[in-house]
Every structure is written in structure tokens, then in C-alpha cells.
Amino acid sequence: MKYYIYPLRFLTPIHFGNVATGGSLEKVTISYSSDILFSAICNELAHQPTMLMKLKEALESQTLKLSALFPYYKNRSDWELYLPKPIFNVQREIAITDYERTKELATKLKKIKKTAYVRTSVLSNGESKKIDLAALESAEGRQFGTTILTERVNKRHDVSEPYFVGGYRFVANAGLYTVVGFEDEELKLLFDQLIELLGLSGIGGKRSSGYGKFELVREAMEVIISKSSSKDIKALYRLLEASEALNASTYMAISAIAPQKLELDIVRTGYYQLIKRSGFVQSPEVSYAIKRNSCYLLAEGSCFGKPLKGRLITMNIDGIPHAIYRNGIGLFVGVNYD
């Protein structure tokens, strides 16, 4: 399987909500999971059921693999690629000497815990201490953009009611990228067209207000080792290669996963976080949104002793004449995390 990265340059602010923080309009995140990305792509194919079925079958047969969106920063000719900080149980002891020193170390550990991403070149090294330091540098150093707050007015009632919408605006050299694996070239050509169409429509919330529109920075870059590749691209290749060859002590998910029943024993011995998916479904076939049942997935960054295949969740909802798909197929990188 050949892997490509698709770097997205956002032309407008994004509005990615977070159910974990209450889902209010003011709060935003830059996290965009693989299951949500696949749903957005399916929405683009709503009027082309044959192509939609082709994409669904490719995902289920694992001739297509799709990661979540992760941040990147282009520093001149060098690509800084970030992946989730591993969800792993590492004992970190604080040597108690004096009050000020202990307070300083405790503050650093809190910052490390809150940091969501780490560079691929550090992750491929696999040393927990270096990953912690890189996470700390990310928290204190690299900024991918700024949070903005826009005032709006609700005029649907007799009395106008002001409200605020949160957004995130990336800096000029930053954005989000996804890792996509293909078994055949024809499938890649289809995906290239879909990602361009998706950029015109936008992703995330408040798209009717112009949020979430993007373009590809350049043609999708094949993740290969070459002299011209940045160290993060080389590291990403090594991480993917280690997973494919089953040559790692730990396998970290870079996609959201819905494990199969036979894989639950692997899940029990791993380290993971659950993410809740709930809300409403919109369809071109109906004129209103319909509430759907909630489901739970394993979050990106979850770590296991073996990679999970996962499964595609199919939802049949009363009032919607077609099935709703939620991507829970696994994509992993191999990390020798001590």
C-alpha cells in the first residue's frame, strides 16, 4: 500500500465543535477525526450512490485507509508534521527537593498532559522522555493559529438575540493534513477529486457562513524516503512501515476506531480514550435534521499491543431513506515507546 499526505491550506476560519466541552458555539478545537472526515466525503457523494458504494467497499476491504486531520507547519522547505501524543501509562516521578523546584516540575507535567500533538520525528525515536520534552516545547512554542470570536445576531424571534461563534484561524504556513493509503491508482484519482470538491464546500460547522474552506497546498506527497524529504516525512514513513511490518512494540491509532468483537481482548490490554458521537443527521432526501443514536469510538492516539482492523458502522435511521456510515476502520503507526 502507498501512503500519501494531503496538506490542506484553510482559506477561511474553521469551526470544529467538541462535544466533550459541551458543544457550545463559542468553543472550538482543531481536532477533526477520521470518522467525521469520511462522513463529510460521503456527503459530497450523496447524489452519486455508485461512487459512494465504491468508496465504502474500498474502506471495508482496507484498500483505502484514512487518518484524522493533524496539524502541520511549513518552515521554509521543511515540513513539520504532528501526530497525537500517545495515550500511554508512563510513571513520571517528581523528585521532591524544595517547594519552588517541585512546583516547577508539577507545572511542566500539567502542560505535558494538556498537549495534544508531538512531531513525527520525535515520535519515531520512541523515547518517552524526549516525547515529553517535545510535547512541552509544542505547548510553549509552536502556535498553529489563533482562536477568534465573532458576534452574530439571531433574528428569528421578535426580539433580536446576540450570540457568539468561535473559530480558529491558521497562520500562513500552518494547516491540517491527512494520511491516506491506496492499493490502486484509480482509487487515488477518485479521492483527489473528492478532496478538491470538499475544499469548495468546506468542513466543520458554520459552513453556510463561509467557514472551513480549504485548498491543497500542493499535489499529495507520496510518503517515501528521499534526500529531498524533510525529517518528519521520513519519520512518518518509518512509523507507517513499522506498523505494516508488525515491527513495533506499540501500535498507535491515527484514526478513530470501532473495534470488532474479536478485538476486545486487545483493547482491554491497551491504553485508550473514548470519544462520543451524537447529534443530528442531515440528508438531501429530507428537509430537516433528524436525531440519531449515539455511538462511541476509540480516539486517535490510543495505543495497543497489536493493530486493530476496526469496522465500518452502518446506521439505519427512521426518516432517512438511506444508510448513514461512520468510519471506524483502523490506521496505525508503529511506535517503540519505552
Side-chain angles (χ1 to χ4, degrees), residues 244-298:
E244 289 246 322
L246 298 178
N247 186 26
S249 60
T250 302
Y251 298 90
M252 186 184 78
I254 57 174
S255 66
I257 304 170
Q260 301 179 18
K261 287 185 178 180
L262 296 174
E263 297 173 324
L264 293 181
D265 287 339
I266 302 174
V267 174
R268 291 189 187 99
T269 58
Y271 300 89
Y272 59 88
Q273 289 180 351
L274 293 176
I275 47 177
K276 182 181 179 181
R277 292 288 180 253
S278 60
F280 294 82
V281 175
Q282 289 182 316
S283 170
E285 306 296 330
V286 294
S287 58
Y288 54 92
I290 297 177
K291 185 76 170 68
R292 64 172 173 81
N293 293 332
S294 300
C295 67
Y296 289 85
L297 302 170
L298 306 180

Side-chain angles (χ1 to χ4, degrees), residues 70 76 80 116 122 171 181 192 195 201 203 210 216 220 286 299 309 336:
F70 304 116
R76 297 181 180 178
E80 295 180 12
V122 177
V171 297
D192 289 351
I195 204 74
S201 303
I203 57 176
L216 284 174
V286 294
K309 181 179 179 181
N336 293 310

Side-chain angles (χ1 to χ4, degrees), residues 28 34 63 69 107 126 173 178 192 215 244-245 250:
V28 292
S34 56
T63 55
L69 291 178
T107 302
N173 294 329
T178 181
D192 289 351
E215 64 182 5
E244 289 246 322
T250 302

Side-chain angles (χ1 to χ4, degrees), residues 111-156:
K111 287 183 178 180
I112 290 170
K113 186 176 180 180
K114 290 181 179 179
T115 303
Y117 301 102
V118 64
R119 285 185 66 170
T120 59
S121 53
V122 177
L123 193 61
S124 67
N125 189 288
E127 294 182 18
S128 57
K129 290 182 179 179
K130 290 187 178 181
I131 291 174
D132 284 348
L133 289 173
L136 186 60
E137 288 176 4
S138 296
E140 297 177 339
R142 178 67 67 216
Q143 295 296 320
F144 303 110
T146 54
T147 302
I148 60 175
L149 203 60
T150 306
E151 185 177 6
R152 299 292 176 87
V153 178
N154 184 356
K155 297 182 179 180
R156 296 180 180 179

